Amino acid sequence: MSQYTSAVRSSQLDALTQWVDSVARLTRPDRIHWCDGSQAEAAALRAQMLADGTLIELNQATHPGCTLHRSHPSDVARVEHLTLVCTRNRDDAGPNNHWLDPAEAHARIDALFDGCMRGRTLYVIPYCMGPLDSPLSRCGVEITDSPYVVANMRIMTRMGSAALARIEREGSFVKGLHSIGELDPERRWIMHFPEELTIKSYGSGYGGNALLGKKCHALRIASWQARQEGWLAEHMLIVGVEDPRGNTHYIAAAFPSACGKTNLSMLIPPEGYRRAGWKVWTIGDDICWMRPGADGRLYAINPEAGFFGVAPGTDHGTNPNALAAIGHDTIYTNVALTADNQPWWEGLHEGTPVTDWRGRPWDPANGPAAHPNSRFTVAARQAPSWSPMAEHPQGVPISAIVFGGRRPSLVPLVFQARDWAHGVLIGAAMGSETTAAATGAVGVLRRDSMAMKPFCGYNYGDYFAHWLSFERAGLQLPQIFHVNWFRKGGDGKFLWPGFGENLRVLEWIIERCAGQAGAQETPIGLLPRADDLHLQGLSLDNAALEQLLAVDLDGWAREVEDIGQYLASFGDRTPARLHAERERIAAAIARARATAPRSAVAS
Ligand code: OXD
Ligand code: MN
């Protein structure tokens, strides 16, 4: 046992050392290593992983400090069907989660952990989610037998001695136990015990299943804690939009996995906007913790310190900031390689793949060269758009909350909620086509309330009630909006150009928050008319714009019916207030249909 371990033992960290000891008794590792987060530790781990093939060195001339990890081909995404929320009362987990009784769950997974670290090193990773000096931050400790997890956690969290010191001061932390086990899909579970602030994950090395600070702690466990403590833990990016007068407006936006959160958080303004002085600042690309500040506004931090982004589609045209960030000191997972060992993925215009993500000579007959859910892990500070405000202990004040999903039809480009309760309904009713970020069919429309379907650690009905509870005296809540970048025309092509041009929609949102831009009332909310958006310099034909800003009343009548059934699926946990809000909209649609000449309110 190292000197460092002895020092910890003599401190007040009894709960932590007792837990590490009990895990070691169960898992039987050959060695225990307490991570200090130092450069020397990172270098030693990297050398070890390069030597044993866990990492492959990429071209150091073009990509200094970059490595590639190839995961087991059956372990490439989150596994929602094997992800459980284990509460004493099944209804507390809700129909939105898979559930198992906690005692049975512990017994099942502990049987897998029994002796699983023989011949391996047990790493103890103390980490802090959020700036080390922020009252909004929370700490955890992950125990793992995967050095790849240690290397990723070092980028994604504030990990090591400083986090341990905070844990020592606070005396509380989330416990996460992880083993890659045999990487056997038949022996794989990701279990959460929110009442015990505990996570147990076995049999997967994939990011969302194995980097326990991310989805498991910062969303599933944190959402539970947030409800008890009066704050929100959300699957949202946080972006700062600086206008030409130098005012920065912070927006938090929820989109399901692989729907462009990273791109939106690092958006490059269109040429005319850049010339006029607009700037975009990245605070976070995936997770947002928000709570009311002394002035009644919601203040947000990004609990993460890095990006675990989807590689395919990242290019100069789509996300030059991300591309610049990942040019050095990045861990790539499951991307393809060029002949001179540079990383490659579909959508990257430079280079040609010769080796696919599994290490085979590239053959298009085998499918894409890079796995569609291949990833990069990179320190957030490497993004040119990274905002120093991301380190601010009080967080940033949020002006607008935006919800959005992949909706090829029906849902307009943007609309605004009338008030908070309407906004909560819009978030609760969010739908999106599934993506490769989780195993299962891709492109299937499913409801994904607030983009939290895979991540809400408790009953969605209670979660909606928690959101509604923020509507109270003394709070100055953000305005709520819904956007849809993914609307398609009859030819199957996207109607809206997206990427940097999305700033035009954010500008309308910011102006609405300041009470400046115009909008028209419709039964589903407030929509811009074509003239209310700044579209100079954009080649978008009138027919496309008309479709993007139209409300198809017949389609919405069906949609609102479907939302009613969805809300009812949470039984009496769904707040009556939300049902009432839906009924109000259904009635407004019915009134408009009765009077509309055609079944649409055109822009
Ligand atoms: C992610 C996800 O990795 O949502 O962020 O799957
Ligand atoms: Mn995500």
Side-chain angles (χ1 to χ4, degrees), residues 78 214-215 219 235 255-258 261 286-287 375 455:
R78 285 183 290 100
K214 192 172 178 62
K215 303 299 183 180
L219 288 175
H235 192 203
F255 295 84
S257 311
K261 283 200 297 299
D286 195 41
I287 302 180
R375 300 278 179 149
F455 309 121

Side-chain angles (χ1 to χ4, degrees), residues 159-450:
M159 174 271 250
S161 311
L164 190 63
R166 179 163 171 164
I167 291 171
E168 188 165 16
R169 275 199 310 279
E170 287 182 345
S172 83
F173 62 95
V174 169
K175 294 185 186 122
L177 171 55
H178 168 255
S179 170
I180 53 171
E182 307 79 28
L183 293 173
D184 175 356
E186 300 299 319
R187 289 163 60 83
R188 183 174 292 164
W189 291 111
I190 324 296
M191 295 180 173
H192 303 76
F193 304 87
E195 288 144 332
E196 303 164 36
L197 300 186
T198 294
I199 305 154
K200 292 186 177 178
S201 166
Y202 187 90
S204 168
Y206 172 75
N209 303 329
L211 312 180
L212 301 185
K214 192 172 178 62
K215 303 299 183 180
C216 301
H217 177 163
L219 288 175
R220 298 194 190 94
I221 298 287
S223 61
W224 175 282
Q225 285 183 298
R227 177 174 172 231
Q228 289 177 332
E229 298 170 9
W231 49 284
L232 291 163
E234 300 300 326
H235 192 203
M236 293 179 175
L237 66 93
I238 311 167
V239 66
V241 180
E242 185 178 327
D243 66 25
R245 289 181 303 281
N247 300 320
T248 304
H249 313 263
Y250 293 97
I251 297 174
F255 295 84
S257 311
C259 286
K261 283 200 297 299
T262 306
N263 290 347
L264 188 62
S265 72
M266 297 181 189
L267 174 154
I268 301 272
E271 178 60 28
Y273 279 72
R274 274 207 304 278
R275 271 204 311 273
W278 290 82
K279 292 194 187 100
V280 169
W281 298 101
T282 311
I283 302 281
D285 80 328
D286 195 41
I287 302 180
C288 164
W289 287 357
M290 282 184 282
R291 70 163 67 213
D295 61 359
R297 298 186 71 186
L298 287 191
Y299 282 78
I301 60 162
N302 169 15
E304 300 191 284
F307 306 123
F308 180 64
V310 178
T314 307
D315 193 24
H316 288 291
T318 58
N319 194 338
N321 276 319
L323 209 61
I326 63 182
H328 64 102
D329 300 300
T330 298
I331 302 173
Y332 290 92
T333 301
N334 292 339
V335 297
L337 289 180
T338 63
D340 64 345
N341 248 12
Q342 296 192 48
W344 192 92
W345 48 84
E346 277 67 21
L348 185 67
H349 287 98
E350 249 165 61
T352 313
V354 298
T355 309
D356 77 4
W357 65 277
R358 294 175 68 165
R360 302 171 299 194
W362 185 52
D363 177 353
N366 287 332
H371 188 275
N373 194 34
S374 52
R375 300 278 179 149
F376 51 77
T377 317
V378 66
R381 61 175 183 279
Q382 288 187 199
S385 56
W386 182 239
S387 165
M389 286 301 287
E391 292 295 339
H392 198 291
Q394 298 307 328
V396 294
I398 298 296
S399 302
I401 289 177
V402 176
F403 296 118
R406 282 179 192 266
R407 294 298 301 253
S409 60
L410 186 69
V411 179
L413 177 64
V414 57
F415 60 101
Q416 181 183 3
R418 231 167 248 106
D419 53 27
W420 184 258
H422 181 209
V424 174
L425 176 72
I426 289 172
M430 251 174 78
S432 193
E433 287 186 340
T434 50
T435 67
T439 53
V442 169
V444 178
L445 192 72
R446 74 163 179 183
R447 297 264 163 231
D448 188 352
S449 301
M450 279 82 171

Side-chain angles (χ1 to χ4, degrees), residues 134-167:
S134 170
L136 282 75
S137 301
R138 290 284 186 279
C139 289
V141 177
E142 174 165 358
I143 293 179
T144 181
D145 55 8
S146 161
Y148 166 80
V149 165
V150 178
N152 277 270
M153 285 289 284
R154 185 166 190 277
I155 296 174
M156 295 304 296
T157 72
R158 282 88 171 166
M159 174 271 250
S161 311
L164 190 63
R166 179 163 171 164
I167 291 171

